[in-house]
Amino acid sequence: MADQIRVVIQALEGVTEQVIKKLALDVVANLSRAGAEGGTPVDTGWARANWLANVGSSINEPSGSPENVSQAEGDKQSGLGKVLTYKLSAGSVYISNNVPYILRLNDGHSGQAAKGFVQAAIQEAVTGLRLVG
């Protein structure tokens, strides 16, 4: 009986890990689209590049700068790599953006994206979640 319980727990953990990975990847992908497509508005690209995923703790500083967006893009890819290998035992998955004006963008400051685009991108990822297998 104990072996059967362990098998069920392992299966549930595996499904939970897959759901968390998919949601995190989809949220970052949604937020990385053009503002007209429901993603982050772009002037320099710094805000769009700063949707940084991490496992175990949130990232509390912006990456790169408006003049060096490529560093932020590299950090974004590194964080997504951590999500791809995510295990429940590693803790929570965080997606953060710490550019100083991200809240203003989400409040509708830019005409390129609707007010509340962050919440809409998250909702779209949740609604689009399909468990396969």
Side-chain angles (χ1 to χ4, degrees), residues 23-100:
L23 281 173
L25 294 172
D26 287 353
V27 167
V28 171
N30 293 349
L31 290 167
S32 296
R33 296 183 303 208
E37 297 172 0
T40 306
V42 174
D43 181 12
T44 65
W46 190 41
R48 183 188 294 177
N50 258 276
W51 291 111
L52 304 176
N54 198 39
V55 176
S57 64
S58 65
I59 295 174
N60 298 317
E61 296 291 327
S63 178
S65 67
E67 298 79 27
N68 185 9
V69 174
S70 62
Q71 178 185 345
E73 284 291 348
D75 288 344
K76 177 190 271 187
Q77 295 308 312
S78 174
L80 292 175
K82 292 176 185 178
V83 171
L84 287 171
T85 60
Y86 174 73
K87 296 290 181 194
L88 283 172
S89 60
S92 298
V93 173
Y94 296 85
I95 300 168
S96 56
N97 189 320
N98 290 289
V99 299

Side-chain angles (χ1 to χ4, degrees), residues 5-26:
I5 292 172
R6 261 189 237 99
V7 168
V8 170
I9 290 171
Q10 288 174 342
L12 288 172
E13 287 176 350
V15 169
T16 302
E17 289 167 352
Q18 292 304 315
V19 168
I20 291 169
K21 289 177 193 180
K22 178 157 180 33
L23 281 173
L25 294 172
D26 287 353

